Amino acid sequence: MIIDGKKVAAELREELKKKVADLKSTYNAVPGLTVILVGEDIPSKIYVKNKEKSAIEVGINSEVIRYPANLEEKALLDKIKELNKNNKVSGILVQLPLPKHIDKRKVIETIDHEKDVDGFHPMNVGNLSSGYDSSIPCTPLGCSLLLKKVEKNLSGKHAVLIGRSNLNGKPMTQLLLKENCTVTITHSKTKDLKAECLRADIIIAAVGIPKLVKGDWVKKGAIVIDVGINKTDSGLVGDVDFDAVSKVAKAITPVPGGVGPMTIACLLNNTVECFSKAQSK
Ligand code: GUN
């Protein structure tokens, strides 16, 4: 089974469109998402464009603020503080990576945690790891929604994560623990990655190494989620050798068309959630 992330994301966007319309008739207001892009990073520009397009499509009030790469850190922090106070703005996202002279941690911590649609603020990270209500980072949220499409009950499954990033690996761990999975987190210093993967019922690969996960690394019937997006001479490829792994896996996400579209749909979901929570306060 190939997990069609494009289709699942389109369904989620459709649900959100209805939710936004309902919220509009209830509150006479719609969720607002402000994305800040600093600099000229090409992939970031593409992501931001896609985020804007999808937000508009579901009826979210979308604003993109673009700054040159030499923007002073203070100007960015001041802008965030202003957006924190603006009640038309439900969600704030500062696109990463940021230029080196800007302290990413300061930026993330300046965003009001109740508007943190990325789920990167320490308050949200802490709440998620304590099992409390929080914003959930979009990529792992997307992965977990795709997993649930294949298998409703993940209890007792052994999940092996490749990659320990704040963006995906760490929050993914929390989501899988909530589902009662046994979780192994592997990374660049893991001794025998193949042996770890062979024990997995679920593999989530997010390291940025093209086709790292080979056909003989995967147990028959495993579910494989590929978060990688790697540009190679032969086009975009994931962290999983799709052709080989799809022969042994029960289900696998393609690249492109797997996790990618889900990430954006989940960002819209988080924006709607932030708006709803703010209204019911
Ligand atoms: N850059 C790449 N992925 C992400 C993401 O999920 N959020 C933000 N803010 N920046 C990113």
Side-chain angles (χ1 to χ4, degrees):
M1 170 192 181
I2 294 171
I3 308 169
D4 188 346
K6 249 181 162 166
K7 179 165 164 262
V8 181
E11 288 164 2
L12 177 53
R13 286 199 305 272
E14 210 43 51
E15 269 174 46
L16 290 168
K17 201 171 175 175
K18 288 196 191 104
K19 234 186 222 175
V20 170
D22 285 348
L23 289 166
K24 190 175 179 180
S25 63
T26 308
Y27 299 107
N28 197 27
V30 293
L33 172 65
T34 298
V35 174
I36 300 179
L37 174 63
V38 186
E40 302 294 327
D41 182 57
I42 304 283
S44 292
K45 278 184 166 177
I46 298 169
Y47 287 138
V48 168
K49 196 101 213 118
N50 288 336
K51 284 169 185 173
E52 188 179 24
K53 186 174 150 262
S54 303
I56 292 168
E57 198 187 302
V58 304
I60 288 173
N61 207 349
S62 166
E63 178 191 27
V64 178
I65 302 173
R66 293 177 172 84
Y67 289 119
N70 65 359
L71 177 76
E72 276 189 33
E73 182 185 273
K74 184 175 180 307
L76 177 57
L77 299 179
D78 286 346
K79 186 58 174 179
I80 294 170
K81 287 174 196 163
E82 182 193 313
L83 294 168
N84 283 343
K85 284 193 226 138
N86 182 344
N87 63 14
K88 289 211 169 71
V89 176
S90 328
I92 303 167
L93 180 144
V94 179
Q95 186 67 28
L96 304 175
L98 284 164
K100 285 201 172 52
H101 69 279
I102 297 178
D103 182 346
K104 177 175 82 176
R105 179 175 173 181
K106 256 194 213 162
V107 169
I108 290 170
E109 293 183 5
T110 300
I111 297 171
D112 178 345
H113 73 272
E114 293 183 343
K115 297 190 177 190
D116 168 34
V117 280
D118 263 326
F120 294 165
H121 191 287
M123 184 72 99
N124 284 316
V125 176
N127 279 337
L128 179 63
S129 76
S130 301
Y132 302 138
D133 186 40
S134 72
S135 262
I136 300 170
C138 306
T139 303
L141 179 56
C143 292
S144 84
L145 293 176
L146 291 179
L147 271 177
K148 293 303 268 297
K149 286 281 168 189
V150 182
E151 195 95 42
K152 280 212 168 63
N153 184 4
L154 302 177
S155 182
K157 302 268 181 218
H158 185 183
V160 171
L161 310 185
I162 312 176
R164 55 177 154 181
S165 71
N166 291 340
L167 236 82
N168 193 69
K170 286 180 200 159
M172 192 73 231
T173 305
Q174 303 303 340
L175 295 180
L176 291 166
L177 286 175
K178 239 187 216 173
E179 296 290 334
N180 299 314
C181 287
T182 301
V183 185
T184 300
I185 309 161
T186 69
H187 45 77
S188 58
K189 302 288 186 292
T190 295
K191 288 244 164 65
D192 190 347
L193 189 53
K194 177 181 173 181
E196 298 295 343
C197 286
L198 273 168
R199 296 194 296 140
D201 303 309
I202 296 164
I203 294 175
I204 300 186
V207 269
I209 303 175
K211 297 190 183 184
L212 173 73
V213 179
K214 308 288 186 284
D216 64 352
W217 288 28
V218 178
K219 190 165 78 178
K220 196 165 167 37
I223 305 171
V224 180
I225 306 285
D226 191 348
V227 181
I229 303 176
N230 308 294
K231 254 196 192 150
T232 68
D233 292 341
S234 51
L236 273 192
V237 299
D239 293 348
V240 176
D241 182 347
F242 182 86
D243 291 340
V245 173
S246 57
K247 292 193 176 82
V248 280
K250 170 181 170 180
I252 182 169
T253 60
V255 176
V259 175
M262 287 303 290
T263 300
I264 296 187
C266 288
L267 168 66
L268 308 179
N269 178 76
N270 287 355
T271 307
V272 172
E273 288 275 307
C274 286
F275 175 84
S276 303
K277 282 182 200 156
Q279 298 303 316
S280 57
K281 258 173 75 176

